[in-house]
């Protein structure tokens, strides 16, 4: 008979995999959108921050050709974007009009390219909505897991990374030790000795890249919001470690903490007694 957590993990595995596919589809659609936008207005393609600002996608779903953007003007475009919930509407509108003014000639095939830009922009908007709905499903199911509060208590662990963690490890009770979790995440170097040379370490060849990403990204986030994590990262940088190396060291250290929390079913507390970190 399946335990409640077993069903939650199975659902999270399906939903997180589906979200990964949606994000990949969005990336591909953005790339196609950029290619078509070059055929309409290269200056507009250079100005558009399509990967980081949804406002540009909203604009391109309505206006694609330089002439139409010039005729609409900054004020009208700003109102349209603001009505659509775009925060920096004025900045985007001004940048779009400036780019449109730099091109006064009509490029060959502009009409067809503009139509494709509009379709692709709508596809991105649709994918954004599907990703948002999937996130809501993931969050709801993640909170049903009995260890959700424990995982969320770790600095840098939001519901998405928490769901990815559960999807990657399955039943956390099967994790035998902090070292096992670190090895599973590819964060525990293994010996590469030969002949008389000993003490050389290298990253393992077989590990869960999904779990490694969870631990790496949560460590990266923790550096921004958790003073202890930031201080540890800075110590490693002061010791001569490169940024990526310092983050990996922090991620390895955090596996010890996360394992202890999961084992004891307790939440992380900033003023709790320090754990003896073997990977420090």
């Amino acid at each position: 008979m399946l335990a409640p957590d077993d069903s939650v993990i199975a659902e999270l595995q399906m939903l997180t995999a589906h979200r990964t596919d949606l994000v990949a589809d969005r990336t591909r659609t953005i790339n196609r959108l950029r290619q078509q936008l070059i055929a309409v207005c290269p200056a507009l393609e250079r100005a558009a921050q399509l990967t980081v600002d949804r406002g540009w996608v909203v604009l391109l779903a309505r206006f694609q050709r330089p002439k139409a953007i010039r005729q609409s003007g900054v004020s009208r475009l700003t109102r349209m974007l603001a009505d659509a919930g775009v925060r920096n509407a004025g900045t985007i509108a001004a940048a779009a009009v400036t780019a449109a003014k730099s091109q006064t000639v009509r490029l060959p095939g502009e009409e067809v390219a503009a139509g494709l830009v509009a379709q692709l922009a709508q596809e991105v908007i649709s994918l954004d909505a599907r990703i948002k709905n999937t996130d809501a499903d993931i969050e709801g199911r993640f909170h049903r897991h009995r260890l959700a509060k424990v995982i969320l208590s770790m600095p840098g662990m939001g519901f998405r990374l928490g769901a990815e963690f559960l999807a990657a490890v399955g039943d956390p009770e099967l994790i035998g030790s902090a070292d096992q979790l670190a090895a599973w995440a590819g964060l525990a170097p293994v010996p590469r000795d030969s002949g008389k040379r000993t003490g050389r370490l290298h990253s393992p060849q077989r590990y869960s890249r999904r779990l490694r990403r969870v631990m790496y990204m949560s460590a990266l986030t923790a550096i921004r919001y958790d003073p202890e994590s930031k201080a540890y990262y800075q110590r490693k940088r002061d010791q001569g470690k490169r940024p990526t190396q310092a983050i990996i060291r922090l991620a390895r250290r955090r596996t010890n903490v996360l394992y202890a929390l999961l084992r004891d079913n307790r939440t992380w507390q900033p003023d709790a007694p320090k754990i003896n970190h073997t990977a420090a």
Side-chain angles (χ1 to χ4, degrees):
M1 182 177 179
L2 287 176
D5 284 350
D6 294 333
S7 295
V8 169
I9 289 173
E11 292 171 348
L12 288 176
Q13 288 171 338
M14 288 185 282
L15 286 170
T16 54
H18 180 57
R19 187 185 192 279
T20 298
D21 290 340
L22 289 176
V23 171
D25 289 343
R26 186 184 190 278
T27 299
R28 285 191 292 268
T29 305
I30 287 287
N31 290 337
R32 291 167 58 200
L33 175 55
R34 282 197 173 280
Q35 293 173 356
Q36 295 299 334
L37 189 55
I38 291 174
V40 178
C41 181
L44 192 58
E45 188 275 332
R46 289 193 297 269
Q49 302 293 319
L50 295 175
T51 57
V52 297
D53 199 326
R54 65 175 289 272
W56 282 99
V57 178
V58 173
L59 184 144
L60 292 172
R62 291 281 303 276
F63 299 93
Q64 305 85 34
R65 301 186 190 185
K67 182 178 179 180
I69 292 174
R70 290 195 303 268
Q71 290 178 341
S72 296
V74 174
S75 297
R76 181 183 173 190
L77 292 179
T78 299
R79 286 195 300 272
M80 183 272 292
L81 292 172
D83 290 342
V86 176
R87 293 182 179 179
N88 52 341
T91 301
I92 294 175
V97 171
T98 299
K101 286 181 177 179
S102 70
Q103 178 176 315
T104 56
V105 297
R106 182 173 177 177
L107 299 182
E110 180 182 305
E111 182 177 355
V112 171
L116 293 173
V117 166
Q119 292 177 24
L120 291 167
Q122 287 292 350
E123 286 182 29
V124 174
I125 292 172
S126 176
L127 285 167
D128 285 340
R130 293 175 64 188
I131 291 171
K132 183 177 180 180
N133 290 337
T134 302
D135 281 343
D137 290 340
I138 290 172
E139 184 174 15
R141 282 164 176 79
F142 173 71
H143 282 290
R144 296 178 192 173
H145 196 280
R146 63 183 180 83
L147 293 172
K149 290 183 179 180
V150 174
I151 296 170
L152 285 177
S153 72
M154 275 283 289
M157 273 288 198
F159 76 86
R160 276 193 292 267
L161 287 178
E164 289 281 355
F165 175 81
L166 290 176
V169 304
D171 184 358
E173 290 186 357
L174 298 179
I175 303 171
S177 66
D179 289 341
Q180 184 186 49
L181 178 59
W184 200 350
L187 298 171
V190 297
R192 186 170 57 185
D193 300 334
S194 60
K196 297 181 179 180
R197 303 187 65 177
T198 61
R200 296 190 303 168
L201 301 174
H202 71 105
S203 298
Q205 297 299 313
R206 301 181 65 179
Y207 59 89
S208 169
R209 284 168 171 75
R210 188 179 195 180
L211 182 56
R212 182 183 175 92
R213 179 185 176 277
V214 169
M215 300 309 301
Y216 183 91
M217 294 302 297
S218 67
L220 190 62
T221 304
I223 292 170
R224 298 174 56 189
Y225 300 106
D226 175 43
E228 184 178 345
S229 297
K230 183 177 181 180
Y232 180 88
Y233 169 81
Q234 191 57 53
R235 285 201 303 274
K236 293 304 173 184
R237 292 287 287 125
D238 293 342
Q239 292 171 10
K241 302 296 182 184
R242 295 192 296 271
T244 299
Q245 292 176 321
I247 295 170
I248 289 174
R249 291 296 183 90
L250 174 61
R252 171 63 183 93
R253 183 176 190 255
R254 285 163 53 85
T255 60
N256 291 0
V257 179
L258 182 56
Y259 169 75
L261 297 179
L262 293 171
R263 179 196 62 201
D264 301 338
N265 193 18
R266 62 182 175 86
T267 57
W268 179 86
Q269 300 294 332
D271 55 352
K274 298 297 184 290
I275 298 170
N276 183 20
H277 299 290
T278 59

